[in-house]
Amino acid sequence: MKNYNIGLIGAGFMAKAHSLAYATMPMFFWPAPGIPIRKSICDVSIDIAKDAAQKMGYEKFTDSWKDIVSDPDIDIVDICTPNNIHAEIAIAAAKNGKHVFCEKPIAMTAQEAKDMLDAVQKAGVKHMLAFNYRRTPAVALAKDIITKGEIGEIQSFRGMYFQDWSASPESTLSWRFQKEICGTGALGDIGTHVIDMAQYLVGDIDMVSGFLKTYIKERPLQEAGQDKLGALQGGNKTGAVTVDDETAFSMRFKNGALGHIEASRNAWGRNNYIAFEIHGSAGSIFFNYERRDELQLCYATDPQDRRGFKTIYTGPNHAYGELWPIAALGIGYSETKIAECYDLIKAIAQDEEATPNFNEGYKIALVCDAVVKSDKQNGAWIFTGV
Amino acid sequence: MKNYNIGLIGAGFMAKAHSLAYATMPMFFWPAPGIPIRKSICDVSIDIAKDAAQKMGYEKFTDSWKDIVSDPDIDIVDICTPNNIHAEIAIAAAKNGKHVFCEKPIAMTAQEAKDMLDAVQKAGVKHMLAFNYRRTPAVALAKDIITKGEIGEIQSFRGMYFQDWSASPESTLSWRFQKEICGTGALGDIGTHVIDMAQYLVGDIDMVSGFLKTYIKERPLQEAGQDKLGALQGGNKTGAVTVDDETAFSMRFKNGALGHIEASRNAWGRNNYIAFEIHGSAGSIFFNYERRDELQLCYATDPQDRRGFKTIYTGPNHAYGELWPIAALGIGYSETKIAECYDLIKAIAQDEEATPNFNEGYKIALVCDAVVKSDKQNGAWIFTGV
Amino acid sequence: MKNYNIGLIGAGFMAKAHSLAYATMPMFFWPAPGIPIRKSICDVSIDIAKDAAQKMGYEKFTDSWKDIVSDPDIDIVDICTPNNIHAEIAIAAAKNGKHVFCEKPIAMTAQEAKDMLDAVQKAGVKHMLAFNYRRTPAVALAKDIITKGEIGEIQSFRGMYFQDWSASPESTLSWRFQKEICGTGALGDIGTHVIDMAQYLVGDIDMVSGFLKTYIKERPLQEAGQDKLGALQGGNKTGAVTVDDETAFSMRFKNGALGHIEASRNAWGRNNYIAFEIHGSAGSIFFNYERRDELQLCYATDPQDRRGFKTIYTGPNHAYGELWPIAALGIGYSETKIAECYDLIKAIAQDEEATPNFNEGYKIALVCDAVVKSDKQNGAWIFTGV
Amino acid sequence: MKNYNIGLIGAGFMAKAHSLAYATMPMFFWPAPGIPIRKSICDVSIDIAKDAAQKMGYEKFTDSWKDIVSDPDIDIVDICTPNNIHAEIAIAAAKNGKHVFCEKPIAMTAQEAKDMLDAVQKAGVKHMLAFNYRRTPAVALAKDIITKGEIGEIQSFRGMYFQDWSASPESTLSWRFQKEICGTGALGDIGTHVIDMAQYLVGDIDMVSGFLKTYIKERPLQEAGQDKLGALQGGNKTGAVTVDDETAFSMRFKNGALGHIEASRNAWGRNNYIAFEIHGSAGSIFFNYERRDELQLCYATDPQDRRGFKTIYTGPNHAYGELWPIAALGIGYSETKIAECYDLIKAIAQDEEATPNFNEGYKIALVCDAVVKSDKQNGAWIFTGV
């Protein structure tokens, strides 16, 4: 088992999730395909970086991401920053021969994503995006069922990602509401997770028609240092929200299936409701991440009087079965990140293509760009160019 | 309590549902606003009509709907026929001064609906459509909550009607698959129920963009006399399906809210899944008819650590509280029809506007026509003209 | 189809439910095994009786149940009175050669039940009890699954009946809280429904150990004429509650299976929550009446990675499939009573044993008596004598 | 932040769960009350111990637990062994002045538990048991709600723990089926989790009446080295099951509340179904660990027409809010163990009483002993002596 030194850029909640996975992945998947070593961590504040290194177990710290991408000790650059510097960091890391693991969405625009893809391909390094929700064992089970043809030909997909942490106008203006930092709002932040699932489970998306909507136009500024999702304690000053609170778009897949995706951060009562329902010619699937240990599955071929959605709890008989020895011991955010880490290290150690990689991320970015364009054209159908 | 003589045209499953309501509504709502009397029933087959009269308790029977609309004994003409003769019957009934109660959808096209509306308005008779699902107490509760502003300004609506009784290619070619009899398929048959709810709960629909899709192009012909939803026993001969199995469309309400509706008869595992989720600025509502005793309600104003969707079981404290003395004794199809019958008779007896009336039905027909037009134009946004 | 004249004693909510069924059963089950005719209705108040006759469609009315049991016109005496006069009426009816249909619980004590059973057997009339919840198609489906051995040998049963209509101390002192009228409280009123299901689905109950508990010792007296479940508007005077608000008891079935039953009218948030979970050697079943269109079923024999509870919606492929042409159109209280009426009339018309009959009711009464005895002996295990 | 050196005894699945928590707790709770250091790990097989040290990140390893308890480097002895050596190890550890963290159940019998309690009290060390399910934020929320009196006086508790990993007779004879190693079966293994919750949420248990039942009397022997929950691949030889597959018992709490607990490993379709429903005079609570992000809460004081169970997703506004920044990101088994680790280290670092400690564990053991005694006496009511 070879060691892989991680250089992590960013020290927020996502850094915590990644670091947990690096620290513990081999406990679950053993012998591990490789051992991730928490080598260096970076934050723009040297104090935060120092503190984060201690807190998350990194050997070194820095306040410059350039130190990370140029550090000869580092094998894998892990990008947990806001979206606006994904591209610059990833390209620099690739040029230095580092494997790149990047938080979603891949970038601010499809053009940036294309540049990133070109860079990693040119450098011949591995590249992967942190769409961790597809690592939920129940989602991987859905993929297995579909791949085996158990629900026949896919006819339609509808996906949702609903949250309410920023549904209140008192929720502060984090970077996730500022276009120059995040690119888009609900679309890029959460909608991309659903696009990833749609692409993963059904196939490439050919056309979209949709819109973006901003319900809350001004939010209280955050105080310095503060960046907590949904924090309500802002100051008296406010700033403009320059991205969408909600998006919804219809789509046509290249294989002819129909789809619809909605993403909203203004859905009171929905906390982290990532759901999809897929209808096939021979069955259906339903998934809701809020009840993520479960997959709902209906087979058309069941006897008429014994037919219905089956609630399958994922466990040792399913993908990522190494996680826990019986079903419903519990899949949490941790477990999705541990599974993701396994797939990342495995791809690198075994010189396989990682997934979802920058190519898939680029296609997601093309879909996002098309949605933005459709919105500007009053919902016109736009080819994604995927 | 005045008696109102009913002339019922059609003798299928819907006739049974209406007759149950006529026979029993006063047992629940007492003193009743009026007493419906099962006077005369009509079927194109005189044998079926005769049998139906005995089975459902009608005094007379006939094989000609013209007998019904011209019968001086009849006060209310109840139209439970296939869609293609709604207009002709309703207009004739109105001309003869009968109140008209008509199954949904109102007609084959918006033009027919307009003619029906003109006729009843000119005649000054009452008119109502059998969108019974909005009589589910939980849906009426949703209306109450929205009207009182409890979830604030409505921002978005998504509605679904999923069934699977005809998802198998072996399911026979009933009139519901033949354009010349039904007009449209999933759109008119089940989608209109959701449009009715959208219009009822959110408001008028300004624009739509959507499509119609037919998955199964040929179905076995039904044998003579057979017309049972989902019957699998067809003969060897097949006929062409000329309407949609599924429709999906996005929409914008006149008040600015956004919406999306899907209706599919090819959703394996969904039996009669009529669901909607509404997001408002101050809360959310979710309803699923398969669990129709319940309404899910979330208030934004609940304390952060005690907030969530509340599952309210409807009962004597809610609309149609006369039905049963405690919640969850059970709302079935019967109960929705009994409540509907009460509203019909009350409107007539008290000379009030019934709802949903032909005007509302006409607006629904305009939405349907716009969806059909959008489908022909590859999903272009179409003004409904509502 | 022969007519059967009904003499209904009692004019409360249950009379309404029965009358609905008499009026409409043939609309569903056609040709009907027989036609119930609403002939005569009785209430102790002649005014109420007169009003009820008009409201529920009876030809005659009286204020003396003796008129009903002695009326040569009457074929079936239907007892919807409080429990304390079930025995007297049933015995008198049987002596007069009437078939007897009686609301649950059968009587105040097992001794009374035995006397009733002796009387109907001696008279050779049909006898049936209105445990309507077992007519829920999903419960009948559970019976079918168990009978066919699909979940193997039954190992354990747990059943609950939770309500909250009287959980408030302000809920008034209806007859259901007065021992001399009702015998027992939650035990007889609602617990007997669960005992009926246990006996129906699993088998005879051999021993019990349990208790009765009264949480609210005094309740406001009802005003004259008022008897509405859960009515909160009582006067200033209060009266003593002399029965249990809650009961719980463990049991052993004769076939060796283990069981536990709880019934409470003090379960806030549970409206009419009748639920059971049955574990067999080859599978499990779960049912919850609040979601009564559904049965949950798990087969041990399903592949390990595709195993889970299946949610089956009952419809035309299941028992009482005549009710509605597709699943989830909706089973309500009405539908359970219509199915019950069908079974009653069929048993009489075809000279079959009705079920649950007075023999089964007597066994339920023995179980209740044993629970009462166990409670008095601090939970000692008591043989039921079944 | 002081370091605390951990000596972990046992290298199975539970060791993995504990090690994950040691490695990552400070990432979540920061500044941490103390830093757990993975110092030494022990397994009876030196090869497994060596491998486990590498896999789980321990500095040292040994095949003798005596090395751990006598190691001057070790501050906290963590016992993840089968039940039969809990007492010996814990007592030895205490004598050497080590804090003791022990997996559940505390011991084979109440006597053993008492000896352990005496030892830790005499030594003045901290002691805690790994009933991790009470660290589920939703269970901690239930405690908060009850403590604040929000559902009034507790009237009744019913708890369940249902699994099916060993429901098949082909599931092998792990130590969990051998009395001399585990003491009791379903009772000690899973029932104790529910007893812990009952005691935590409602109070001390005064009397019990119950039974133990073994459905599968012989199981295939495990091959050497194999010990995986639910493993189906046994050899041809079988061995006797000497403990219960299922237990059920009624109980009376000291405060007068009534209760019932069931634990079964033969509940097909239930994977890790730990559920409780609590009725209070002013509300109710329902929890199901299979949907562990949620707590169901009903307030009696809600308006009658807006009352129902609220589904609260736990998150940053609840106990252990440091885990993830928004609700429903996901609580898994990992998160319960991280929260547990925090409470353990905090109690030691801040010199507070840990909970649940050996005193609470001893009381749980008394309840178990009483259930065993009741079973031997045909379900007689037995005082627990708590």
Side-chain angles (χ1 to χ4, degrees), chain C residues 37-256:
Chain C
I37 304 295
R38 285 162 286 158
K39 182 61 71 178
S40 186
I41 190 165
C42 169
D43 190 89
V44 288
S45 151
I46 194 69
D47 291 338
I48 290 179
K50 183 181 178 185
D51 188 62
Q54 188 186 4
K55 171 181 169 186
M56 303 185 201
Y58 286 78
E59 301 173 14
K60 304 192 278 192
F61 59 90
T62 170
D63 62 358
S64 167
W65 62 261
K66 295 185 181 177
D67 290 346
I68 300 275
V69 300
S70 62
D71 184 340
D73 279 352
I74 297 298
D75 299 303
I76 302 169
V77 171
D78 179 350
I79 307 173
C80 289
T81 67
N83 310 341
N84 59 335
I85 49 170
H86 284 188
E88 190 178 359
I89 296 173
I91 292 167
K95 282 186 178 157
N96 289 341
K98 314 298 189 194
H99 304 296
V100 188
F101 179 44
C102 184
E103 263 302 324
K104 38 58 52 185
I106 185 171
M108 307 266 281
T109 63
Q111 184 56 54
E112 278 190 359
K114 184 65 166 58
D115 293 343
M116 291 165 73
L117 176 60
D118 289 345
V120 292
Q121 286 181 331
K122 189 172 172 192
V125 296
K126 299 295 173 195
H127 41 103
M128 185 166 137
L129 293 162
F131 286 108
N132 62 307
Y133 292 122
R134 67 148 81 174
R135 258 78 192 194
T136 311
V139 176
L141 172 58
K143 176 73 174 173
D144 181 58
I145 289 165
I146 292 170
T147 302
K148 288 176 175 159
E150 297 180 28
I151 61 166
E153 192 178 347
I154 302 307
Q155 296 176 333
S156 59
F157 171 95
R158 69 274 312 138
M160 284 141 277
Y161 198 147
F162 293 151
Q163 298 184 323
D164 69 359
W165 60 267
S166 66
S168 164
E170 293 171 40
S171 182
T172 54
L173 189 79
S174 86
W175 64 266
R176 292 168 198 268
F177 297 97
Q178 303 176 46
K179 187 176 180 176
E180 67 279 12
I181 310 182
C182 60
T184 59
L187 176 59
D189 187 21
I190 57 178
T192 49
H193 275 295
V194 189
I195 300 170
D196 177 60
M197 286 184 182
Q199 196 170 266
Y200 173 57
L201 297 171
V202 183
D204 284 343
I205 296 164
D206 195 36
M207 300 173 68
V208 298
S209 155
F211 69 87
L212 305 174
K213 188 137 184 180
T214 307
Y215 293 113
I216 299 169
K217 319 268 185 191
E218 295 273 329
R219 292 180 181 272
L221 295 179
Q222 293 194 322
E223 293 169 28
Q226 182 195 29
D227 184 19
K228 204 174 154 190
L229 289 178
L232 294 185
Q233 320 87 319
N236 290 328
K237 293 186 185 171
T238 63
V241 172
T242 47
V243 295
D244 51 295
D245 289 323
E246 180 168 335
T247 183
F249 51 97
S250 297
M251 60 206 193
R252 304 190 185 188
F253 291 91
K254 289 199 164 176
N255 60 15

Side-chain angles (χ1 to χ4, degrees), chain A residues 16 27 30 38 51 55 133 271-272 289 291-294 313 322-323 328-330 332-335, chain D residues 16 27 30 38 51 55 133 271-272 289 291-294 313 322-323 328-330 332-335:
Chain A
K16 176 170 77 173
M27 299 184 191
W30 187 258
R38 285 162 286 158
D51 188 61
K55 171 181 170 185
Y133 292 122
N271 297 279
N272 201 39
Y289 181 82
R291 293 174 169 175
R292 79 199 67 81
D293 291 53
E294 307 172 16
Y313 279 84
E322 291 87 345
L323 286 168
L329 272 185
Y333 200 76
S334 296
E335 282 79 4
Chain D
K16 177 170 76 174
M27 298 183 191
W30 189 257
R38 284 162 288 159
D51 189 61
K55 172 181 168 186
Y133 292 122
N271 297 280
N272 201 39
Y289 181 82
R291 293 175 169 174
R292 79 201 67 81
D293 291 51
E294 307 171 17
Y313 279 84
E322 291 87 345
L323 287 168
L329 271 186
Y333 200 75
S334 295
E335 282 80 3

Side-chain angles (χ1 to χ4, degrees), chain B residues 219-235:
Chain B
R219 292 180 181 273
L221 295 178
Q222 292 195 324
E223 294 169 27
Q226 182 194 28
D227 183 21
K228 204 174 153 190
L229 289 178
L232 294 183
Q233 320 88 319

Side-chain angles (χ1 to χ4, degrees), chain A residues 261-324:
Chain A
I261 286 179
E262 291 184 81
S264 175
R265 299 190 290 208
N266 283 61
W268 285 111
R270 299 299 186 192
N271 297 279
N272 201 39
Y273 185 79
I274 313 168
F276 57 78
E277 178 161 336
I278 299 176
H279 299 157
S281 58
S284 297
I285 281 175
F286 177 81
F287 172 75
N288 161 15
Y289 181 82
E290 292 191 340
R291 293 174 169 175
R292 79 199 67 81
D293 291 53
E294 307 172 16
L295 188 74
Q296 307 272 343
L297 168 65
C298 176
Y299 287 138
T301 48
D302 272 2
Q304 270 191 299
D305 57 350
R306 297 290 186 271
R307 192 159 61 210
F309 277 95
K310 201 183 277 191
T311 301
I312 302 169
Y313 279 84
T314 54
N317 300 303
H318 301 103
Y320 308 117
E322 291 87 345
L323 286 168
W324 298 116

